[in-house]
Amino acid sequence: MNSTKNNTVRQKKLMALAGLFWFFFLIFYLLGALTFHAGEQAFTALYVWFNSSIFSPILITLLSITIVFHVVTAVTRQLSNNVSYGDRYKKPYPKAIPRLVAWSGASIILIFIVTHSVQMFSIDSTDLYSEIQLIFQRPMMWAIYGLGMIAISTHLYHGLINVLQTFGISSKQPKGLAFGIVFVIMAGYASIPLGILYAKI
């Protein structure tokens, strides 16, 4: 029993570490994306430099490994719990986040990440500034990115609270702090399409 419990705790901590890696990537990616407001020259120069540097393939590899691990571990743990508990597992899911909503949100995030990655890799990075402007001139892309950001912000908020508990940093669930962090990050990302829209008005 102790072995199973220790393994579960270990998996949760490794999942938390994978999630934290993506959390810090979101911040890193945001800092780069915000150079969009500095103009085409600064924005393009940064991405051309980064895409041609050794850091790009290393980061892509680490991101791929951590997200696959995070997803596979989450799914296998859930399936294992269903089998282990049997009928006893048929207890109400937390009312704040119904099981269908939680898994639908996670699926939307995964689809959004894959879609965004394919989109970014398929466009010319030397003309990325113009490409970004074109992307957010289509209402469909506003809907896709809006839904993706909502799903990510919800997952990130829930994840930040759980990470603190998993590592024993806090037992009081600092919801206000988590909400503030998520709000600042999402506001930063939203400022780019909003800036494009404002420039057109």
Side-chain angles (χ1 to χ4, degrees), residues 39-52 120-132:
E40 182 175 0
Q41 186 175 356
F43 182 75
T44 302
L46 174 64
Y47 278 90
V48 168
W49 168 80
F50 183 78
N51 289 338
S52 61
M120 289 298 102
F121 283 125
S122 63
I123 61 180
D124 183 8
S125 62
T126 59
D127 195 24
L128 189 57
Y129 191 87
S130 298
E131 294 284 356
I132 297 296

Side-chain angles (χ1 to χ4, degrees), residues 66-200:
T66 50
I67 195 169
V68 168
F69 172 80
H70 192 79
V71 171
V72 170
T73 304
V75 172
T76 53
R77 284 188 65 243
Q78 183 66 51
L79 293 176
S80 177
N81 286 342
N82 290 342
V83 172
S84 299
Y85 288 102
D87 291 337
R88 288 183 298 161
Y89 192 75
K90 295 179 180 179
K91 58 183 180 180
Y93 204 71
K95 292 183 179 180
I97 311 176
R99 181 179 285 113
L100 178 61
V101 174
W103 283 101
S104 296
S107 299
I108 290 172
I109 293 172
L110 186 59
I111 293 171
F112 174 73
I113 290 173
V114 172
T115 302
H116 179 68
S117 299
V118 171
Q119 191 175 47
M120 289 298 102
F121 283 125
S122 63
I123 61 180
D124 183 8
S125 62
T126 59
D127 195 24
L128 189 57
Y129 191 87
S130 298
E131 294 284 356
I132 297 296
Q133 289 179 316
L134 289 173
I135 286 173
F136 288 111
Q137 287 178 6
R138 299 196 293 268
M140 178 61 70
M141 297 311 302
W142 275 80
I144 292 173
Y145 274 79
L147 183 61
M149 288 294 101
I150 291 173
I152 289 174
S153 62
T154 303
H155 191 75
L156 185 58
Y157 171 73
H158 176 70
L160 283 174
I161 294 174
N162 284 344
V163 163
L164 292 175
Q165 288 184 307
T166 297
F167 288 100
I169 297 174
S170 173
S171 60
K172 295 184 178 180
Q173 293 192 348
K175 296 181 180 180
L177 177 60
F179 178 83
I181 292 172
V182 172
F183 179 82
V184 170
I185 292 174
M186 292 303 118
Y189 279 108
S191 71
I192 297 170
L194 290 175
I196 294 172
L197 179 63
Y198 178 77
K200 289 183 61 181

